[in-house]
Amino acid sequence: MVSTVSSDIAALHAWLDRRPALAASLQACAVLTPAQAEECQVVLGLLDSLGCDDDTLAAALWFAVAQVDSDVWTAKRDEVNASVKRLVEGQQSAERVWVLHAEHGGASEGLRRLLLAIIRDLRVVFILLARQLARMRGAARLPPEQAVSLARLTADIHAPLANRLGIWQLKWELEDLAFRHLQPDTYKRIAKLLDERRADRESFIAQCIDELGTAMSRSGIRADLAGRPKHIFSIYKKMQRKELAFSDLYDIRAVRVLVVDVAACYAALGVVHSLWPHLPGEFDDYIARPKGNNYQSLHTAVIGPHGKTLEVQIRTHAMHRAAELGVAAHWRYKEGGGGDAEFEKRIAWMRKLLEQRQDDDAGLMDDFQSELIEDRVYLLTPRGEVMDLPRGATVLDFAYHVHTEVGHRCRGAKVNGRIVPLSFQPASGDRVEILTGKVSDPSRDWLSPHHGYLHTGRAREKVRIWFRRTAHEANLAAGRAIYEREMKRLALSTTLADKLPAHFGLKSQDELLVALALGEVTAGQIARAVQDLSRPATSVTQSAPPVQPSRHTQADTSALSIEGVGDLMTTLARCCQPLPGDAVRGFITRGRGVSVHRADCPSLARLARRDPKRIIEVSWGRAPEHAYAVDIQLTGYDRKGLQKDVTGLITNASTPIIASSSRVFTRTGEVEMHFTLRVRDFEELSTLLARLGALPNVIDVRRITG
């Protein structure tokens, strides 16, 4: 093998030979050039040092192969497992972010968020970081323009990601290499200053370690001491942040102390402060108050031998592993024990869930599955800018997020070039274009939660403010129209209108109507209020047993209470089908107990005239779990799929359909549908009718009672 291929490819093959699980990748490596093989070996070595599993390493290799010859990957992809496929696809998704970065010449926090939102496996991030570091190590061989472009991408995305993940061993090198190409003169100046004093500094550090080690031994503290390397970019940032000259930096000389536990950390701190005087204001306790990326350590600055300043970092071995490997450290060093099998990790502005088993270290990575739990979506403007909104946000929410006037003038939207309804919910990575009119003209329907146009409270409030600025009379008229439409649609009496304002804490009916127009009170809340107010304040309640429901109503009437009589069998009248909240009265039948009617039922009126002594008072009980049959009628213009849309919406609302029928009027092209549904109360019915009324081609939908 070595004699027929270059030394770089032979080295890669030799590396893969030591990992039997990666043997399947050997043949694919034949398509790689020597330079690509060298880069792959560096990437694999970095991933191995992070404790990544074989699937992650294989995915890094297969992605490199796919970039060189996509046909090889296409031919072999069915032979690899699902985990490797997912990791390769995650790297391919990341390419979209690199393209956006190149198009716009820079990155915002949004691009980093978008990257983590569009990849579905956290392990992809480690591959991306390792590959970028491998490329940065060879950037000096690239043309200057390419090296600067690669360094800018590193500084904008990869180094911040490594920082947020807490993978310091990659973060420092990524930052230094990017800094070297982006600001070469400053980099060389600081590097020269470090080199000029390197011998003195190393001698000083050796003396400090010797003195501190002796003091630790006398105090009975077991500690490992070493000089801490200072990275050029971190020196530059501190000089900028504190406006200091290089000679004024106290932590160019630094020592790290590693101990066994937290108690030993504070004991070691006492030894340091007793040995050398500490600098006031230069102490940070990141053990008691960890950084956002969960970094833990004690930092102190002291005046060491010869009056020179010295920084000392004290931490446990476990803290050091976490600091060096970040999230990856938990894969190799997760401590066992009882408790939750889910290990939840916050990564600053992102939330990630690493689902792990409390298992041995070897089996842990084999079963590792990670899923990005994200409560935001990251959307692109036509110019490529990234905007984040809460998950569930619609394109109309996006329009208001861009600018209030864009929302007010929104007439439509395109997602990835395709026209979508205003209630469409785009996914992370989608490019959204808002189509606007010349004048502001929001719709009151946007405020209705039933239509699903707006998900965010911020956007709804902007629409309310717009309507508040319109004429008071217009809001009053709109609210009255909504109220009357709701009462008519639900076949409810308006006799309780005077009591409704107080129910919502308002002073007058006009205030209620304006609140209804502005969406501050919904039609469903009105329906619920009518139901509550129509219940008697006091009644002699005696729970009636449920009757065997008829084939038509299928209703449980045990939520009825009968006044002034003993237990009686009850049934809901078919002629008017009362619902909880309706004013009801009972008629004592011969052999069928009490038939319960709406108080305004024409059939009940005829029965009362014929035999008034058999009319009794009944009231609804308070068992919300009971369901009642109700008839609704829907009228619309006939179209293909209308009935399917109607029945699908009812089914998705988890509302049982007891019976249905429809007929088409060919002369007018209209269709009339009748449904008998089982609902719990007015609010559920109100919501359902509103959603049905919003379907295309629907003219009217209402409850019918006779």
Side-chain angles (χ1 to χ4, degrees), residues 227-244:
R228 184 179 67 84
K230 194 63 181 176
H231 298 273
I232 294 176
F233 183 71
S234 66
I235 293 173
Y236 168 74
K237 292 295 288 184
K238 180 161 287 189
M239 290 169 63
Q240 294 292 105
R241 186 173 65 252
K242 296 193 174 184
E243 299 181 350
L244 297 173

Side-chain angles (χ1 to χ4, degrees), residues 239-391:
M239 290 169 63
Q240 294 292 105
R241 186 173 65 252
K242 296 193 174 184
E243 299 181 350
L244 297 173
F246 181 84
S247 58
D248 296 327
L249 295 176
Y250 66 83
D251 59 348
I252 298 299
R253 297 170 291 271
V255 171
R256 178 174 293 142
V257 180
L258 302 182
V259 294
V260 294
D261 55 29
V262 172
C265 287
Y266 290 99
L269 178 66
V271 172
V272 171
H273 285 174
S274 64
L275 183 62
W276 300 305
H278 74 279
L279 295 174
E282 296 295 345
F283 170 69
D284 293 297
D285 186 348
Y286 295 121
I287 294 179
R289 296 179 300 278
K291 291 185 178 181
N293 52 21
N294 210 33
Y295 172 84
Q296 290 184 292
S297 186
L298 297 177
H299 291 193
T300 187
V302 298
I303 301 175
H306 316 298
K308 295 180 179 179
T309 56
L310 172 72
E311 184 192 52
V312 181
Q313 293 184 354
I314 306 169
R315 60 179 71 142
T316 67
H317 292 279
M319 292 175 189
H320 182 63
R321 288 191 294 262
E324 291 298 300
L325 297 177
V327 173
H330 295 279
W331 298 353
R332 299 177 69 180
Y333 302 104
K334 179 86 166 76
E335 294 179 2
D340 195 7
E342 245 176 18
F343 176 66
E344 193 172 306
K345 183 73 179 177
R346 290 177 182 268
I347 305 176
W349 35 261
M350 298 294 292
R351 294 179 185 273
K352 288 192 167 295
L353 189 68
L354 301 177
E355 292 184 342
Q356 304 183 357
R357 262 184 15 206
Q358 299 292 340
D359 204 349
D360 61 281
D361 293 341
L364 187 58
M365 282 306 299
D366 292 337
D367 295 336
F368 173 78
Q369 293 290 331
S370 70
E371 180 184 0
L372 184 63
I373 301 300
E374 180 55 59
D375 56 359
R376 310 286 291 180
V377 290
Y378 301 90
L379 309 175
L380 301 171
T381 69
R383 296 181 179 180
E385 299 168 340
V386 180
M387 295 193 172
D388 62 298
L389 287 87
R391 182 163 298 280

Side-chain angles (χ1 to χ4, degrees), residues 503-549:
H503 184 84
F504 291 99
L506 301 172
K507 296 178 181 179
S508 66
Q509 190 171 11
D510 283 0
E511 284 190 19
L512 176 63
L513 296 178
V514 169
L516 191 58
L518 296 176
E520 295 169 352
V521 175
T522 67
Q525 290 173 321
I526 292 288
R528 169 69 73 177
V530 171
Q531 175 179 339
D532 292 342
L533 292 171
S534 62
R535 290 176 175 145
T538 58
S539 62
V540 180
T541 58
Q542 185 174 353
S543 180
V547 67
Q548 181 65 32

Side-chain angles (χ1 to χ4, degrees), residues 115-177:
L115 174 65
L116 290 188
I118 62 177
I119 59 175
R120 308 315 304 169
D121 194 314
L122 179 61
R123 292 174 292 178
V124 173
V125 177
F126 298 101
I127 302 175
L128 300 178
L129 295 178
R131 177 171 291 111
Q132 193 71 6
L133 179 53
R135 289 174 177 171
M136 285 303 302
R137 286 177 178 177
R141 298 192 293 266
L142 297 175
E145 298 80 6
Q146 292 184 25
V148 169
S149 177
L150 189 66
R152 174 55 57 196
L153 179 64
T154 302
D156 286 341
I157 295 183
H158 296 83
L161 274 179
N163 180 50
R164 296 297 174 89
L165 286 165
I167 310 176
W168 305 110
Q169 67 185 69
L170 300 189
K171 179 243 188 191
W172 297 124
E173 192 172 357
L174 286 167
E175 287 181 339
D176 278 1
L177 291 173

